[in-house]
Amino acid sequence: MSFIKNFIEQETLNRRNFLLASALGLGGAAAASLARPSIARASIADPTIAWSYRDRTNPYWNAIASGGEAFVESLGKPKSALVQLINEGSSEKSLSDVKALLGKTDGRLALAIDANDSPNGRPVVEAVAAKGAYVSTIWNKTDDLHPWDFGDNYVSHMTWSDVGPSEQTATILFKAMGGKGAIVGLGGIASNNPAIERRHGLDNALKNYPDIKLLDYQAADWDTQKANAIMASYLTRFGDQITGVFCANDTMAYGVIEALRAEGLAGQIPIVAYDGNAQAVDLVLAGDLLATVSTNPYWGGGVTAALAYYAAIGAFKPSQEPREHREFYGPTILITKAEAEDFKKKYIQSTPSYNWKDFWGPSKGQIMY
Amino acid sequence: MSKLSGRADLQKWAPLLVLVALVVFFAVLNPNFLSVRNFARISISATAPLMVALGVTFVIIMGSIDLSMEGAVAVCAVVFAWVFLALGGSLAGPGWLAVPLCLLVGAVYGAVNGAVHVGLRIPSFMASLSMGFVGIGLSLLMTGGDRIRVEDPTFRALLTERYFGFPLMVHVALLVLLVAWFIQSQTAIGRNFYAVGGGEELAHASGLDVRRVRIAGFTIAGVFYAFGALFAVAQIGIAETATGNNFMFASITSVVVGGTALWGGSGGVWNTLIGVLIVNVINNGMVVMGLPRYIQDGVLGLLVIIAVVLSTDRRSLSLVK
């Protein structure tokens, strides 16, 4: 009779295995859906919105964050609904903050980010895509990383080409000098992309003006006080030879102007800058600064968050958009005395109200490599 | 014996000799260096760092270290600018009240710093470094990342008005330097700093309340940081969180280069004056002679080592930490 006993035993085992297996199967399916929600989830109803950037002290990043807050308010949420991840210039912190927030929100996240440096772009995007969240990037990514390689989850990348605009400001400077004379230059942190591009723009302009001499060009690291000290030393070294100053951003130009003011030379030597900060626009109006360039960081901060958000809630499908809507140049606005009054009215005195669904209106075409 | 005192004399005067040698060196390379206008430029850029360095000098004489200056300067600058503008934005009006308030904020900041170090028995290195971060965060909270512009012509006269070829702020800074010298040499607390730095157990055994002396040292340092903040705002016309940037390395370097030993008990405010001038002459001179930036940092580092080797007596030390 042992075969009966064997049969019963086998059936019990099978049944147990079946129960175990089905339990495993159900759990496994649940686990799989947890780990890879991108398959199950086409859109996210109410995603957390976050901006990850370097440093709020800097007027540029401050404007980016303010734009992000304005976008969040346009959704009827308080400013505090925008989660701000500040990486303090560390790519490691940038990535770990993003991963922590992905974990906390379980991938229900619309992220706008500057990855701090180019190599950090890929791990950030991969982490976001693996969790089925949505990300839009600005400035830093490597040339081989493209939104269209990640379906819908990597929504867009925006950057600004500084070569052309800085060539324009340099040309304005040279014209103001009457096409001849000598300038000194102050650059940003030597390894920064914008610092390199802005120097490149200056070099391009110099080629068209053979009678303009570049006396010296030193990195003042975007820093007001360093620029102040370097400009004072330039005055000792070159004295009256200096008839123009090229600054790679506004904050350094403030230091230069104060160094000239200390010598009673304020307003006598033409200076050009970059970034279009509110104070710089006032200086353009006062005649202390010849020109600056705005990249409209306020709009950039808002629209980058908007792209990630509207893609996340399924308002549009990034993968159905053309490539110039996935990788594009941001706007640049040249501000000389002629435009300053108008610019101030439009962008500084009244905070412009943007249509945050007009993602690509102000942009300047697809990024060229 | 005479040989020994000869060596001690040389060490005492070494920082000044280094300064003179540097001036001669840069003057030979570019005669423009040796002009009143350039000395005025060097002194303008040295004014705020001198104040901060004077403050930390007292702390270093006690054998402690203070790394909170960047936060302290940022907080003092922002509070000053904020109150100054709230009171009408003119030194000629009630805005002058912002100046004593700024000094008071510096004192409170320093006192808290000292209390954290002494009361919680945290090494001054760690306590002050943390307090510096607290200050940066606090000033960021107050400004929301914005810059506050101070354009009052009366206040900015510190930079724009010149007497004997030097801006007003340089003359005011010299007065503050004399006050620092007075504290160091003419007051009991000044002598107590040396007593604590020279041998804490001995000072304690002689009945000195070492804990109170330490807190007093950090408080006085805070007041000098506030002076540094005022001059930094006068120089640039902007108060912001970044006003405090770069002060930590510059001030500690200056104190050490001037011949005040990091292990305490020696040196003083005149050493610090020479140290600050050395660092600023080097910075100015390297641009004047046209060295590229990436070489400048390296040269500055090397010169600091040379200056410390020349100016401090390390033979009596059994241990260097």
Side-chain angles (χ1 to χ4, degrees), chain B residues 32-33 35 41 272:
Chain B
N32 289 349
F33 182 87
S35 61
R41 284 167 197 143
T272 298

Side-chain angles (χ1 to χ4, degrees), chain A residues 291-305:
Chain A
T292 182
V293 176
S294 170
T295 51
N296 202 350
Y298 184 86
W299 178 79
V303 85
T304 307

Side-chain angles (χ1 to χ4, degrees), chain A residues 150-327:
Chain A
F150 289 84
D152 291 327
N153 295 95
Y154 186 4
V155 182
S156 66
H157 177 76
M158 172 159 59
T159 193
W160 286 262
S161 172
D162 291 352
V163 179
S166 73
E167 187 178 339
Q168 279 178 293
T169 59
T171 305
I172 288 170
L173 176 68
F174 299 162
K175 278 186 183 155
M177 293 162 61
K180 60 183 194 309
I183 62 161
V184 288
L186 291 121
I189 297 171
S191 61
N192 278 185
N193 230 7
I196 296 164
E197 290 196 350
R198 290 171 195 182
R199 171 72 202 264
H200 193 56
L202 170 67
D203 289 341
N204 286 351
L206 278 167
K207 279 180 206 145
N208 299 327
Y209 286 85
D211 292 336
I212 301 270
K213 193 178 164 206
L214 178 62
L215 294 167
D216 196 4
Y217 193 94
Q218 300 242 0
D221 302 348
W222 313 120
D223 187 289
T224 308
Q225 290 172 22
K226 275 187 192 165
N228 185 273
I230 291 176
M231 188 64 212
S233 309
Y234 275 157
L235 286 170
T236 299
R237 184 168 162 211
F238 302 112
D240 298 338
Q241 271 184 283
I242 304 171
T243 51
V245 184
F246 178 91
C247 300
N249 86 341
D250 290 342
T251 46
M252 294 191 294
Y254 306 152
V256 168
I257 289 169
E258 294 309 321
L260 294 175
R261 196 188 309 284
E263 309 277 332
L265 292 171
Q268 292 181 26
I269 296 177
I271 307 164
V272 291
Y274 207 105
D275 277 351
N277 293 331
Q279 184 181 350
V281 176
D282 284 343
L283 290 169
V284 170
L285 274 174
D288 285 338
L289 199 60
L290 204 54
T292 182
V293 176
S294 170
T295 51
N296 202 350
Y298 184 86
W299 178 79
V303 85
T304 307
L307 276 161
Y309 174 80
Y310 284 115
I313 64 167
F316 77 103
K317 208 166 165 51
S319 53
Q320 287 170 359
E321 295 291 335
R323 288 192 168 187
E324 68 256 34
H325 285 179
R326 312 275 316 259
E327 278 190 357

Side-chain angles (χ1 to χ4, degrees), chain B residues 284-300:
Chain B
N284 174 283
M286 284 192 298
V287 178
V288 170
M289 67 185 274
L291 275 187
R293 219 357 250 298
Y294 50 88
I295 298 180
Q296 289 179 21
D297 288 342
V299 171
L300 186 63

